Amino acid sequence: MDFELNMEQREIVKAAREFAEGEFDPQLAMELEKAHQFPFDIRKKACQLGFIGIHFPEEYGGQGYGIFENALIVEEFCRRDSGIGSAVVLSDFSSEIIMRFGSDAQKKAYLPKVASGEYISGGGYTEPDHGSDITFMNTTAVKDGDTYVINGSKTFITNGGIARFLIVLCQTDENASPTYRGQSTFIVPTDSEGFEAVEIEDKMGLRMTSTSEIYLNNVRVPAENLIGKYGRGFYQVLEFFDESRVEIAAQALGIAQGALDRAVAYIKERSQFGRKIAAFQVNQHKAADMATRVELARLIVYKAAWNYDKGRIDPVLTSMAKMTAGRTAVEVCDEAIQMHGGYGYIMENEVERFYRDAKITEIYEGTREIQKNTIASTLVGRFK
Amino acid sequence: MEKIAVWVEHRQNEIRDITFEMLGKAHQLVGDGGQVIALFLGDPSQKGLLDKITPHAHRTVAYLDSNLKDFEPLRYQAAFADIFEKVDCQLILMGQTAFGMDFAPAVAARWEIPFTTDIVDVEVDGGLIAVRQMYSGKVSAKVSLKEADKMLCTVRAGAFPAEDLPTVSGEVQEITGAVEGDFSARAFVEYLEAAVGDVDITQADVIVSVGRGIKDADNIPVAQELADALGGVVACSRPVADKKWLPKERQVGTSGKTVKPKVYIALGISGAFQHQAGMKNAGTIIAVNKDPKAPIFGIAHYGIVDDLFKVVPALTEKVKELRGWGNSDK
Amino acid sequence: MDIIVCIKRVPETAEADLVIDASKKAIDTDGLVFSINEWDNYAVEAAIQLKESVGGTITVISVGPEENNEVLRRALAMGADEALRLTDPAFEGSDAYAMAKILAAAVKDIPHDLILTGVQADDDGFGAVGVALAQMLGLPYAALVTDIQLDGETLTVHRELEGGLEEVDTLKLPALLTIQTGINEPRYVSIMGIRRVARKEIGVKGAGDLGLSEEAVGAKGSLSRIEELFFPPVGEGAEIIEGTMDEKTEALVKILKERGGIA
Ligand SMILES: Cc1cc2nc3c(=O)[nH]c(=O)nc-3n(C[C@@H](O)[C@H](O)[C@H](O)COP(=O)(O)OP(=O)(O)OC[C@H]3O[C@@H](n4cnc5c(N)ncnc54)[C@H](O)[C@@H]3O)c2cc1C
Ligand SMILES: Cc1cc2nc3c(=O)[nH]c(=O)nc-3n(C[C@H](O)[C@H](O)[C@H](O)COP(=O)(O)OP(=O)(O)OC[C@H]3O[C@@H](n4cnc5c(N)ncnc54)[C@H](O)[C@@H]3O)c2cc1C
Ligand SMILES: Cc1cc2nc3c(=O)[nH]c(=O)nc-3n(C[C@H](O)[C@H](O)[C@H](O)COP(=O)(O)OP(=O)(O)OC[C@H]3O[C@@H](n4cnc5c(N)ncnc54)[C@H](O)[C@@H]3O)c2cc1C
């Protein structure tokens, strides 16, 4: 048992911190937030320095580290700025499906370009009628010669408006039983004819990230864009969730830590009733509780990441990590705003944004309830 | 301490102020009956500069050599070696300046002279205790020097006043130097005058100056808006110029400009002495800094301990209101 | 071109509340974040840029405990080739002069055309190690360097003087330069860099390995000693304006009006 980061991991944390402190400027964040702009320049620099795709194998343009090291970067980036951090770290979203299940040719064609910053990626699973339950997809892919023709729509797709390609989960056999055995994933270039992304303009948080509705109207992709085995799409996506949930958990952890940092700094600065508000024990206790919760979240997130890299893929632990970190982020941000009083409620203030950005971590990549279902079904078994 | 030698620092045919500051302190330290010795190395054509020095030194040792017009450390050291034995003193003072920082540690190392640098005070009571600052002025240190025939300190510019120098009837000892050897390993080429920018901060009545606390180039407009409202200009501390957030001509301090506006507003500047040297004579100094212990509060007339990003926009707003520039879309 | 860069690990203190420790000779560094001395970071970058243009090797050296590996590894990840840490109980209490002796003993064994140090350390700030080191090694040197051009065996450098004035000098290699901040834009550490040097060993040498006697270094080998630290009286000049933000800015406007601050 060893709770220390190793030397390289500590160096990665430091490098990520220095980069984030140097580049993620609060004023810039505010402008991007208001303009709903993706931080393209910062992402490009992050890619050049190897922060994105750190967990891709070296031969595919990555750095050959694990999802643990990726989680460390995600944590540091989101700690410094929930908005810029989230946008940057999500810019390779779903590329892991290619990495884990794709052919060598697919990996070579896409992963190096994602890591280098040329491509932004995304994944389309959610549909207007299928969110938590993706066992059946209305989006279909039908083979036609050496192409597949895709029709349907997806919603809430991160990077939908800026990605170069999306991984799209389609129903390839509507009669399969169970239905999810008739699903497959495809690489869909966003410049394909019949592909349309419509930006969902107003959302609570993640305002520097593009979130879109996707319309696929007779989109033709070459047959070699099928990822892995025909009919295995659902399984791939579930397995992908085992690692993507760790990333989202790390995002939540970073946001929580960032809110805690700001709250502690604020109570030491603000005076009321003739003394610093840090002198009120209630604020000290709040800080202590928040710090404890953040540390608990860190322990489980790190454990889940570490396990994954050891090849022990454990959906229960991953779900626990995501659920814990997400709740921690929301509650710590809530308390951070409380400690800031009225100033915390104002948009000029970073904790306000952290709060809004925190909430998504309890929704996407499986809601909190879905995580509980996953944990419970293993713990208690399935009851109908 | 009976005998103290002061290194006469000159450049481009001018004696630098630090020399007089050191002469003043030296007089105070030797007291009545002691001796202040001025050490001058230079070109024979620069002899006229001595007129300003000799009245304030009991003895002036002038080593004149036609190759010593501009500072070249290797050549200067060789010249100094010629007279080192003849300079009978217990303490040598040099400036903690671009000259002294390039010369003093080498002299000390060559002759193993106990030394310390950048002192702001010195006491002689048995041994020598120098006071110097550390951690950018947040902490002071008393430093003792090992007992020796000669000691050396470099003195911070502005640490001692140059006024009211005692006048003594000093003798001049002229030595015609002939430093031999090949010193081309480090050769002086030329001076480069500071670039002139679009804004001349030395002419401004109101300066809003930003330090590292401004955090990023993108935040400069926060200060610019205040400066605009006040009818002033924006200047900066060194890190801001180093990072190219503002051009070098806007830098205030020893290696930048010296300014004397009516009002100097220091935002997120800790107040390192190199910065202070450039602005301490401003009419009114106002500092905004999060850290109540920042040395800038030591020389400011008014201070606000708070986040500049809260204070400045609020202040700008107030000034605009006063001017009737109120925000129309408000 | 073979370059040696001397780097120090220092606490970040600009925004920290400093506490003088019980010995009264040092500050309490518990809880402070340490990093590479700012000047030295510029020096490392300067070395890397020279190496990128003419080739060669870069060796970074730091005197201090195992924690100093942090800054050495950082410099390796930025682009240095070798790292050496000098440590020995005998080094304790070294002043700038003794520090220069330690470094001089170490660089003698390493091929070098150029040695770079920072102008000064962020913490103690003696601003003396580089020039003293040059003297001990008998190298031509220049302090406060803000620009470096290399032409064969000759360096043309700019030195920063007072008031924005600069001086141009030429130096013959081998030489030593003390680097001033702002000379370049130090790069970020990349993950590629960290990976490249992950298995790199950092050499360690003590007084014995360097042929230094215990008397030559540390407090015994020093010419000066820190006797006591104390807080300078601050705030004596400034009248601190208190109150709500509104009251504070109101007071400021009044002062500005009175003092000619509204031009
Ligand atoms: C516990 C303790 C006790 C001390 N006691 C004394 C004392 O009694 N007397 C005293 O004078 N000082 C003392 N010091 C401080 C002393 O060790 C200084 O670090 C030393 O005097 C060098 O001065 P500086 O760091 O200001 O270097 P500067 O001359 O300001 O530094 C210039 C450059 O020298 C190089 N350099 C400096 N230090 C190192 C290093 N460690 N490794 C590699 N390169 C380096 C860097 O390139 C740096 O940019 C003490 C320090 C500690 C922690
Ligand atoms: C900003 C943003 C970005 C997103 N990015 C992507 C993306 O890139 N790719 C993508 O495919 N999707 C993305 N999503 C979609 C996201 O994954 C879904 O919104 C999420 O999975 C929930 O699905 P739903 O919205 O349909 O909610 P529903 O499934 O309708 O859930 C509504 C409520 O019912 C609960 N519930 C549902 N089923 C159960 C059950 N069995 N037991 C208990 N409670 C249950 C849920 O927990 C929730 O509280 C994104 C969403 C947002 C808001
Ligand atoms: C040879 C030499 C020459 C030099 N010449 C010069 C020179 O000409 N001019 C010069 O300026 N420096 C010069 N320096 C550098 C000098 O030593 C200091 O390093 C420098 O002045 C520090 O700049 P700073 O105060 O902006 O930064 P720091 O010392 O880092 O201080 C930043 C300050 O901002 C405060 N702060 C941070 N955030 C906020 C916020 N949100 N609101 C309010 N306050 C905040 C912090 O509390 C801190 O006090 C020189 C150094 C050397 C060695």
Side-chain angles (χ1 to χ4, degrees):
Chain A
M1 198 76 199
D2 182 0
F3 283 103
E4 296 272 8
L5 297 184
N6 67 31
M7 184 189 70
E8 261 170 283
Q9 290 162 344
R10 287 199 305 272
E11 286 168 7
I12 289 168
V13 168
K14 267 209 148 176
R17 185 172 304 163
E18 275 183 32
F19 175 74
E21 278 175 3
E23 300 291 320
F24 299 7
D25 171 57
Q27 206 72 23
L28 173 70
M30 189 65 68
E31 280 163 30
L32 294 172
E33 174 83 4
K34 285 186 179 157
H36 297 205
Q37 280 260 342
F38 182 87
F40 287 103
D41 293 346
I42 294 177
R43 168 174 179 269
K44 187 95 208 173
K45 285 188 203 167
C47 288
Q48 283 160 356
L49 292 165
F51 290 119
I52 304 302
I54 184 176
H55 54 309
F56 297 177
E58 288 167 51
E59 63 264 44
Y60 302 118
Q63 303 303 323
Y65 288 99
I67 70 165
F68 190 98
E69 286 77 11
N70 187 49
L72 293 174
I73 290 173
V74 171
E75 179 188 351
E76 278 309 317
F77 280 14
C78 293
R79 172 183 187 173
R80 173 69 194 181
D81 193 286
S82 59
I84 299 179
S86 300
V88 169
V89 302
L90 288 171
S91 69
D92 63 355
F93 184 66
S94 288
S95 289
E96 292 87 353
I97 295 213
I98 298 182
M99 174 166 103
R100 307 283 175 210
F101 308 105
S103 66
D104 186 53
Q106 287 170 337
K107 292 184 207 175
K108 282 210 174 90
Y110 292 96
L111 297 181
K113 291 187 171 165
V114 171
S116 73
E118 198 179 325
Y119 288 0
I120 289 174
S121 60
Y125 317 108
T126 307
E127 297 185 347
D129 295 333
H130 302 280
S132 297
D133 177 7
I134 55 167
T135 52
F136 184 79
M137 294 278 96
N138 288 338
T139 301
T140 57
V142 179
K143 188 139 193 211
D144 179 21
D146 50 7
T147 62
Y148 279 91
V149 182
I150 304 177
N151 276 292
S153 63
K154 298 278 170 183
T155 193
F156 301 134
I157 304 309
T158 299
N159 301 334
I162 56 173
R164 177 61 193 260
F165 67 92
L166 299 180
I167 309 300
V168 179
L169 180 65
C170 301
Q171 203 68 35
T172 37
D173 177 0
E174 291 174 57
N175 303 317
S177 171
T179 51
Y180 52 81
R181 288 213 179 134
Q183 296 180 349
S184 308
T185 52
F186 295 89
I187 301 169
V188 179
T190 54
D191 59 2
S192 305
E193 210 177 304
F195 180 100
E196 193 192 355
V198 177
E199 193 63 23
I200 299 169
E201 284 298 341
D202 268 322
K203 51 185 188 283
M204 178 182 181
L206 280 197
R207 288 180 156 239
M208 297 175 213
T209 308
S210 157
T211 307
S212 314
E213 288 179 53
I214 301 293
Y215 299 96
L216 300 143
N217 192 0
N218 285 322
V219 171
R220 254 172 215 281
V221 298
E224 64 259 28
N225 281 22
L226 169 72
I227 302 173
K229 284 208 188 88
Y230 181 86
R232 294 295 296 172
F234 177 79
Y235 297 96
Q236 294 168 1
V237 173
L238 282 203
E239 266 191 58
F240 162 65
F241 284 160
D242 288 326
E243 68 185 299
S244 68
R245 283 173 182 169
V246 174
E247 178 167 15
I248 302 306
Q251 177 193 5
L253 170 61
I255 294 175
Q257 178 69 55
L260 170 63
D261 295 343
R262 285 155 179 85
V264 169
Y266 188 79
I267 59 170
K268 292 203 272 190
E269 240 175 56
R270 172 78 175 171
S271 298
Q272 284 295 293
F273 297 98
R275 71 197 92 155
K276 298 288 178 204
I277 59 170
F280 302 121
Q281 196 175 39
V282 64
N283 280 329
Q284 295 188 8
H285 280 187
K286 278 183 183 178
D289 284 340
M290 289 153 81
T292 306
R293 300 214 36 196
V294 170
E295 192 54 35
L296 284 170
R298 180 171 290 118
L299 281 173
I300 195 163
V301 173
Y302 284 12
K303 182 173 176 187
W306 180 82
N307 249 300
Y308 187 95
D309 287 339
K310 289 266 178 290
R312 292 195 286 265
I313 295 171
D314 179 354
V316 171
L317 184 61
T318 308
S319 286
M320 286 176 169
K322 179 173 181 287
M323 179 178 86
T324 305
R327 195 84 285 258
T328 300
V330 171
E331 290 181 2
V332 167
C333 286
D334 179 15
E335 205 64 287
I337 292 187
Q338 197 66 25
M339 288 155 89
H340 277 73
Y343 294 98
Y345 193 71
I346 305 299
M347 228 195 152
E348 310 286 272
N349 203 299
E350 287 182 308
V351 291
E352 184 267 351
R353 189 155 47 85
F354 273 63
Y355 187 46
R356 289 187 288 103
D357 288 340
K359 184 62 198 173
I360 190 61
T361 63
E362 287 200 298
I363 296 172
Y364 63 8
E365 299 300 286
T367 61
R368 182 178 1 138
E369 294 72 25
I370 294 300
Q371 311 303 335
K372 280 191 190 166
N373 290 351
T374 305
I375 299 163
S377 67
T378 302
L379 190 68
V380 188
R382 286 177 193 277
F383 288 83
K384 284 241 164 108
Chain B
M1 191 140 300
E2 291 131 40
K3 291 177 183 175
I4 298 181
V6 170
W7 192 282
V8 178
E9 188 172 327
H10 60 96
R11 181 187 302 143
Q12 294 176 305
N13 286 318
E14 268 183 55
I15 307 271
R16 301 189 52 78
D17 291 347
I18 179 77
T19 309
F20 302 105
E21 295 164 14
M22 292 189 292
L23 282 170
K25 187 65 189 176
H27 274 287
Q28 192 201 328
L29 285 172
V30 297
D32 291 340
Q35 218 185 31
V36 174
I37 306 157
L39 285 176
F40 181 88
L41 267 65
D43 178 84
S45 72
Q46 295 169 319
K47 237 172 81 180
L49 293 177
L50 288 175
D51 297 346
K52 292 208 178 105
I53 300 295
T54 47
H56 305 300
H58 299 98
R59 207 175 122 214
T60 301
V61 178
Y63 187 94
L64 303 173
D65 179 325
S66 59
N67 289 313
L68 296 178
K69 183 155 171 283
D70 296 300
F71 170 60
E72 291 179 325
L74 307 179
R75 199 184 287 280
Y76 262 50
Q77 214 187 86
F80 191 41
D82 259 5
I83 52 169
F84 187 72
E85 297 303 330
K86 296 187 191 117
V87 183
D88 170 25
C89 67
Q90 291 124 340
L91 175 65
I92 304 171
L93 298 179
M94 294 187 191
Q96 173 75 356
T97 56
F99 159 76
M101 290 176 84
D102 198 296
F103 193 56
V107 166
R110 170 168 176 160
W111 282 285
E112 285 192 37
I113 307 174
F115 79 114
T116 194
T117 57
D118 193 23
I119 67 166
V120 295
D121 204 355
V122 53
E123 294 159 25
V124 185
D125 180 18
L128 182 144
I129 297 279
V131 178
R132 63 188 308 283
Q133 295 187 337
M134 308 212 305
Y135 303 100
S136 323
K138 282 188 146 183
V139 175
S140 292
K142 288 189 177 167
V143 177
S144 66
L145 297 185
K146 196 170 152 182
E147 294 260 349
D149 296 344
K150 275 195 178 62
M151 293 175 279
L152 172 70
C153 291
T154 64
V155 176
R156 174 176 292 188
F160 306 116
E163 291 103 54
D164 306 323
L165 286 184
T167 303
V168 293
S169 54
E171 48 168 302
V172 182
Q173 184 185 353
E174 237 182 76
I175 299 167
T176 306
V179 189
E180 305 254 322
D182 178 5
F183 304 107
S184 61
R186 155 119 179 236
F188 171 84
V189 179
E190 61 176 333
Y191 292 110
L192 294 180
E193 298 295 334
V196 200
D198 52 338
V199 171
D200 185 357
I201 57 170
T202 62
Q203 298 303 313
D205 280 337
V206 179
I207 294 180
V208 177
S209 195
V210 296
R212 207 197 303 259
I214 196 78
K215 294 281 192 293
D216 198 273
D218 291 336
N219 298 328
I220 300 289
V222 175
Q224 186 67 54
E225 255 193 72
L226 176 60
D228 289 346
L230 295 171
V233 301
V234 174
C236 64
S237 70
R238 177 168 188 123
V240 174
D242 281 347
K243 292 178 199 293
K244 321 249 175 331
W245 296 346
L246 279 171
K248 185 83 182 165
E249 315 89 67
R250 303 282 188 104
Q251 182 189 317
V252 171
T254 49
S255 54
K257 299 266 166 67
T258 299
V259 296
K260 233 183 129 173
K262 287 187 186 142
V263 173
Y264 188 90
I265 305 178
L267 305 174
I269 294 177
S270 63
F273 84 95
Q274 291 102 337
H275 188 79
Q276 292 193 10
M279 44 66 80
K280 63 174 177 225
N281 293 323
T284 300
I285 299 168
I286 298 169
V288 180
N289 197 303
K290 283 202 292 201
D291 178 4
K293 292 204 179 126
I296 191 77
F297 291 122
I299 61 153
H301 301 95
Y302 299 98
I304 290 189
V305 181
D306 209 328
D307 183 350
L308 77 91
F309 293 108
K310 291 191 190 129
V311 178
V312 178
L315 178 61
T316 307
E317 210 44 50
K318 279 244 158 65
V319 176
K320 282 185 178 169
E321 265 169 40
L322 183 78
R323 292 199 173 240
W325 297 356
N327 229 341
S328 52
D329 55 20
K330 214 170 121 178
Chain C
M1 170 128 116
D2 297 321
I3 308 174
I4 294 174
V5 190
C6 303
I7 62 177
K8 185 177 184 183
R9 179 174 176 267
V10 298
E12 291 176 15
T13 56
E15 292 180 36
D17 211 358
L18 298 187
V19 176
I20 294 171
D21 76 7
S23 77
K24 293 220 170 167
K25 292 184 201 297
I27 60 160
D28 188 349
T29 53
D30 279 0
L32 292 180
V33 177
F34 281 77
S35 55
I36 182 170
N37 179 33
E38 189 180 5
W39 279 265
D40 302 348
N41 198 32
Y42 284 97
V44 171
E45 177 65 30
I48 295 171
Q49 290 187 6
L50 281 168
K51 179 183 146 179
E52 282 172 349
S53 77
V54 297
T57 65
I58 300 170
T59 305
V60 285
I61 304 183
S62 189
V63 181
E66 199 168 346
E67 289 81 34
N68 286 36
N69 285 355
E70 231 173 79
V71 294
L72 289 169
R73 298 210 81 88
R74 187 182 184 286
L76 287 170
M78 274 172 84
D81 302 285
E82 299 295 331
L84 175 63
R85 187 165 60 85
L86 308 177
T87 186
D88 199 298
F91 295 166
E92 298 251 322
S94 292
D95 68 354
Y97 173 75
M99 192 60 80
K101 277 200 276 188
I102 297 166
L103 290 166
V107 303
K108 280 199 185 115
D109 302 332
I110 305 169
H112 57 269
D113 303 296
L114 183 65
I115 299 177
L116 301 180
T117 73
V119 163
Q120 65 176 39
D122 240 340
D123 51 357
D124 309 296
F126 284 92
V129 170
V131 170
L133 175 61
Q135 179 66 35
M136 290 173 190
L137 296 169
L139 291 179
Y141 67 90
L144 295 150
V145 170
T146 54
D147 188 52
I148 308 172
Q149 301 297 329
L150 175 70
D151 181 12
E153 295 294 293
T154 306
L155 289 172
T156 301
V157 303
H158 290 190
R159 286 186 63 222
E160 176 183 286
L161 308 179
E162 284 78 14
L165 188 68
E166 290 188 7
E167 178 185 294
V168 182
D169 297 291
T170 54
L171 288 107
K172 287 199 186 132
L173 295 178
L176 181 148
L177 306 176
T178 82
I179 300 298
Q180 177 62 309
T181 54
I183 185 172
N184 51 39
E185 271 183 62
R187 66 197 63 195
Y188 290 112
V189 172
S190 69
I191 303 298
M192 298 78 163
I194 291 172
R195 189 166 55 110
R196 193 182 57 242
V197 303
R199 310 233 181 282
K200 188 108 207 154
E201 291 288 326
I202 293 182
V204 180
K205 285 188 179 176
D209 306 313
L210 300 173
L212 289 166
S213 74
E214 284 194 12
E215 283 68 39
V217 294
K220 285 186 202 146
S222 290
L223 298 171
S224 66
R225 192 168 64 214
I226 294 175
E227 297 292 347
E228 187 190 351
L229 298 187
F230 61 98
F231 289 112
V234 292
E236 57 190 358
E239 176 187 323
I240 300 294
I241 300 166
E242 313 262 9
T244 63
M245 188 56 67
D246 198 55
E247 288 160 6
K248 286 180 190 170
T249 49
E250 200 57 54
L252 273 187
V253 168
K254 190 158 161 275
I255 294 162
L256 286 167
K257 271 200 284 191
E258 279 166 12
R259 305 298 186 100
I262 304 189

